[in-house]
Amino acid sequence: MNPATTRTQVAIVGAGPAGLLLSHLLAARGIDSVVLETRSQEYVGARIRAGILEQSSVDLLTEVGLGERLAREGDQHRGIYLQFPHERHHIDFQSLIGRSVYVYGQTEVQKDLVEARTAAGQQWVYEISDVALHDLDTDRPSVTYVDADGAPQRLEADAIAGCDGSFGPSRAAIPGGTTWERTYPYSWFGILADVAPSTDELIYAWHPHGFALHSMRSETVSRLYLQVEPGTDPDSWSDDRIWDELATRLGHGQDGWELEPGPITDKSVLPMRSYVHAPMSHGRLFLAGDAAHIVPPTGAKGLNLAIADVALLAPALAELVGTGDARLADAYSDTALRRVWRCTHFSWWMTTMLHHSGDAFDEQLQLSQLRWVTSSEAGATGLAENYAGLPFEI
C-alpha cells in the first residue's frame, strides 16, 4: 500500500518539551510544523523528569508567552545547600551572580506547551510506529511512519528536527559522526513523597554511605534521591529503610534540622550516564535535546540543554526554510555543542564531587573540593554561574 502523503515546512520527531517548544518558537516566526510521536499524549505528559529551570530557560519561556503559570506556581530559589558530615553551606546564586533557578517540573512545562499548541491548532500525530527518515541530503526530506490505525503515511518537509530522545530514529539516521559516552558506576534511587519539603532550597549531600539529594516538586510534594548500586530493585527497599537512609545522609538532627517523612507515591532507579553526539546535524536533519546528548542529573542540565538547543535551532530553521539562508543552520551544530560540552563538564564535575566511589583517596579529594567551593567566593561563583545557566550561545 502506498503511503498517504502530507506536507509541512518542518517535521518534528518527538513531542516532549524540546519538540513542542520548537514548534511554538517556529510558529512565532511564521513557520508551520507537524509533530510526530510514538507514545500517547498521556504517556508523554506524565513522565517524571527534571524539576529545575535555569534563569535563561525561565526568561525564554516567559518571553514567548509560556510563563504565566510558571510565574504563579514556580518556586524561585536563590541557591542550593552543599553538605558533608557536620557541615551545611548555602551557595547563594543571587548574591554571587544575580540570577536564580526555579523549581518547576518538566511535566508542568509539558502541560503549558500542550495547552499553548492546542490553542494554536498545532498539527501532531501520536502513537505512530515504524518511523524512518529519508532524503536528508536533499531539500525535500521526509518521514515515513505507520499511524495508530495501521495506515502508512509519508510527511514531506523542508527540514526535519529530531527531538525524539536517545532511543529514537533520528540520531541513528546521521551517518558517521562520533559519540562520546560515560557510564557512571552508580545509579539514583528516586522517590516522590506526599510530604512538604523539609528544606527551603535543594540539599546536595556528600556522605560516606553515598550521595543524597533533597529536592521538591511543590509545597506539598518532595522529590528525594539516594545513590545506589546499578541494577538496584526499588522494591527491595522498604519505605522505612528509605527514610532512615535519607535521614542519615541528609543530616537529620544536625544543628536541629529534621527530615520529615511521608507517604511514598513513586519509586524508580535512574542509571547515571552521559553521552554527546557530534555533529548535531546532517543535511536537512537537526538534532535537539536527548537525541544529541544526555547528562547525569546532578547539575540539573537535561531539560535546560534541550531548551537551549531549540532556542538556537528555531531561528536557524526559520531562516533556512523561510528565506533559504543557511548560515545559522550550518553553524547550529558547532554553536550548540559549545554549550553542550560546558554543561556536560559541569554535570561531570558535580557528579564526581558528590558521589562516593568507595576509594579513600577519592574521598579526601572530594572533601577538599567541597571545602574549597564552600569557603572560596571564586569557587562558589563558578558553581553558581554554571548551575543557574549560561547564555544560549557561548
Side-chain angles (χ1 to χ4, degrees):
M1 181 187 300
N2 291 327
T5 300
T6 54
R7 176 158 182 79
T8 190
Q9 288 178 287
V10 178
I12 300 174
V13 186
L20 294 192
L21 180 57
L22 179 59
S23 72
H24 189 81
L25 298 178
L26 289 173
R29 292 168 169 80
I31 303 299
D32 293 330
S33 65
V34 174
V35 179
L36 305 174
E37 171 61 51
T38 59
R39 302 284 193 169
S40 68
Q41 187 172 21
E42 293 73 22
Y43 178 91
V44 176
R47 287 184 292 198
I48 300 172
R49 295 287 177 84
I52 302 295
L53 291 178
E54 299 173 356
Q55 184 72 60
S56 53
S57 297
V58 171
D59 292 345
L60 175 66
L61 293 171
T62 302
E63 178 185 334
V64 299
L66 296 167
E68 180 180 349
R69 196 164 67 92
L70 192 162
R72 186 174 66 250
E73 300 179 17
D75 188 7
Q76 184 177 7
H77 284 221
R78 291 182 62 96
I80 62 171
Y81 293 106
L82 284 181
Q83 179 176 305
F84 42 100
H86 313 299
E87 296 189 38
R88 181 182 293 173
H89 301 268
H90 188 241
I91 309 298
D92 192 319
F93 302 162
Q94 195 68 40
S95 297
L96 290 164
I97 61 170
R99 299 200 303 277
S100 304
V101 294
Y102 292 73
V103 174
Y104 193 69
Q106 177 172 313
T107 52
E108 305 309 313
V109 175
Q110 186 77 8
K111 289 175 187 175
D112 296 338
L113 284 163
V114 168
E115 181 179 346
R117 300 314 302 141
T118 299
Q122 174 69 50
Q123 298 181 68
W124 40 32
V125 186
Y126 285 90
E127 300 182 74
I128 65 175
S129 59
D130 298 331
V131 181
L133 283 58
H134 309 274
D135 303 320
L136 302 177
D137 292 310
T138 75
D139 59 3
R140 289 292 183 270
S142 64
V143 182
T144 57
Y145 62 93
V146 175
D147 67 21
D149 296 323
Q153 305 285 340
R154 177 182 294 273
L155 177 62
E156 296 181 345
D158 299 312
I160 299 172
C163 305
D164 48 346
S166 57
F167 299 109
S170 296
R171 179 160 56 102
I174 293 183
T178 302
T179 299
W180 295 268
E181 190 163 4
R182 169 69 53 85
T183 300
Y184 292 88
Y186 27 72
S187 296
W188 273 18
F189 185 8
I191 71 160
L192 274 177
D194 283 340
V195 61
S198 300
T199 178
D200 59 334
E201 308 270 32
L202 277 69
I203 303 171
Y204 284 79
W206 183 98
H207 192 274
H209 289 192
F211 169 74
L213 171 62
H214 191 323
S215 182
M216 60 282 292
R217 282 294 178 263
S218 70
E219 293 180 354
T220 60
V221 177
S222 295
R223 181 71 163 155
L224 304 108
Y225 298 92
L226 290 165
Q227 176 186 341
V228 295
E229 292 292 324
T232 294
D233 179 2
D235 293 331
S236 68
W237 283 63
S238 69
D239 289 6
D240 286 344
R241 182 187 178 193
I242 291 170
W243 287 114
D244 286 347
E245 191 62 26
L246 283 167
T248 297
R249 298 189 196 185
L250 290 169
H252 179 86
Q254 180 176 310
D255 297 326
W257 180 82
E258 294 185 353
L259 175 67
E260 183 66 31
I264 293 175
T265 60
D266 184 80
K267 301 178 185 179
S268 60
V269 172
L270 174 69
M272 299 284 281
R273 67 188 184 109
S274 183
Y275 74 75
V276 178
H277 182 84
M280 289 175 59
S281 63
H282 172 77
R284 289 295 181 100
L285 169 62
F286 302 85
L287 304 181
D290 288 358
H293 43 73
I294 281 181
V295 291
T298 325
K301 291 290 161 238
L303 175 58
N304 293 290
L305 270 176
I307 291 173
D309 286 348
V310 299
L312 295 173
L313 185 55
L317 291 178
E319 290 293 319
L320 179 65
V321 307
T323 69
D325 186 343
R327 286 176 294 178
L328 289 178
D330 290 344
Y332 166 70
S333 179
D334 288 342
T335 304
L337 281 167
R338 283 195 293 272
R339 194 179 198 276
V340 167
W341 276 115
R342 173 87 296 275
C343 293
T344 299
H345 179 270
F346 176 67
S347 299
W348 167 86
W349 181 79
M350 286 282 286
T351 301
T352 55
M353 178 173 66
L354 288 162
H355 288 74
H356 198 269
S357 70
D359 182 272
F361 190 82
D362 286 349
E363 177 176 311
Q364 294 306 313
L365 292 177
Q366 290 171 319
L367 291 171
S368 175
Q369 186 164 237
L370 284 163
R371 293 187 188 105
W372 171 70
V373 170
T374 55
S375 63
S376 161
E377 183 174 344
T381 300
L383 188 155
E385 182 180 53
N386 282 274
Y387 195 106
L390 300 164
F392 291 143
E393 293 190 51
I394 61 173

